[in-house]
Amino acid sequence: MADLEALGPAFTWRRLAEEDFPLLGRWLDRPHVARWWHHETSAEAVARDFGPAARGEDPSEDLLVFADGRPFGLVQRCRLGDYPEYLAELAAVVDVPDGAMTIDYLIGDADRVGLGLGPRMIRAILDGLWADHPSATCVIVPVPVANRASWRALEKAGLVRVAEGELEPDNPIDDRAHYLYRIDRNDQIDRNDPIDRNDRQDADLG
């Protein structure tokens, strides 16, 4: 990840653990995260929803991301084939090849939003995903059309919009309109392509 480090902070990550739940609950309660994740933030709710993955009982991976050693955000990644109902919902809108994975993400540290770090985090996570999951063929990410910060971050990270359709939103105040983005394992990202550190488009990335 040396090329990414030259462009900004060094990103590292590990699997979310139960001792991280209080921090995650605080992040989920922050307005810039709550707008898009729309998650219950009580200790009981966080333990209920994130405990199975933390204990390895769920096939998804919840990753606590650090920027220069400081807790920074959360990335979820999973194989779509492990969630047949969700895969079927996406397949009604876009082609989903065997081995497809997806990610979701948030920047929880309010001091680090609005600095253009979202695309860098996504690039780093994708590099790790290809290495950790050699059978992964592509990554497909649905994003509400209204969440411009999120889909702009995906574009800057090298993903391409491949479809638009109706999916169930995480937040019931949103309509069903979604963009779907994709990147394949063999897609090449120009690591010298600059990402504007001061781009405020990702100020509420979630």
Side-chain angles (χ1 to χ4, degrees), residues 54-78:
R55 295 188 296 271
E57 299 167 1
D58 188 278
S60 67
E61 299 171 327
D62 295 338
L63 305 175
L64 185 67
V65 182
F66 299 78
D68 288 338
R70 173 179 167 183
F72 166 74
L74 179 80
V75 173
Q76 295 180 315
R77 63 186 189 186
C78 70

Side-chain angles (χ1 to χ4, degrees), residues 133-203:
H133 296 275
S135 63
T137 55
C138 68
V139 172
I140 297 173
V141 186
V143 186
V145 170
N147 193 352
R148 186 178 190 278
S150 186
W151 54 258
R152 285 290 290 131
L154 291 172
E155 291 175 351
K156 294 174 189 177
L159 285 83
V160 175
R161 189 185 303 174
V162 293
E164 179 176 355
E166 294 190 354
L167 299 169
E168 191 67 28
D170 290 332
N171 192 329
I173 70 171
D174 292 312
D175 62 30
R176 293 173 55 85
H178 281 68
Y179 293 142
L180 290 99
Y181 284 82
R182 174 172 167 166
I183 188 168
D184 292 346
R185 172 178 288 276
N186 295 326
D187 287 348
Q188 296 297 312
I189 298 175
D190 183 358
R191 296 302 184 180
N192 295 315
D193 183 24
I195 300 174
D196 184 358
R197 295 170 185 265
N198 297 314
D199 187 348
R200 300 295 171 174
Q201 301 288 354
D202 68 350

Side-chain angles (χ1 to χ4, degrees), residues 10-27:
F11 293 103
T12 56
W13 51 86
R14 61 166 171 78
R15 185 179 288 270
L16 187 76
E18 293 186 353
E19 57 263 31
D20 303 315
F21 290 175
L23 172 63
L24 178 58
R26 293 193 296 272
W27 283 353

Side-chain angles (χ1 to χ4, degrees), residues 6-47:
L7 292 172
F11 293 103
T12 56
W13 51 86
R14 61 166 171 78
R15 185 179 288 270
L16 187 76
E18 293 186 353
E19 57 263 31
D20 303 315
F21 290 175
L23 172 63
L24 178 58
R26 293 193 296 272
W27 283 353
L28 292 168
D29 198 41
R30 289 174 177 163
H32 74 280
V33 176
R35 168 64 184 87
W36 299 109
W37 279 63
H38 191 64
H39 199 284
E40 293 182 56
T41 59
S42 68
E44 294 78 13
V46 173

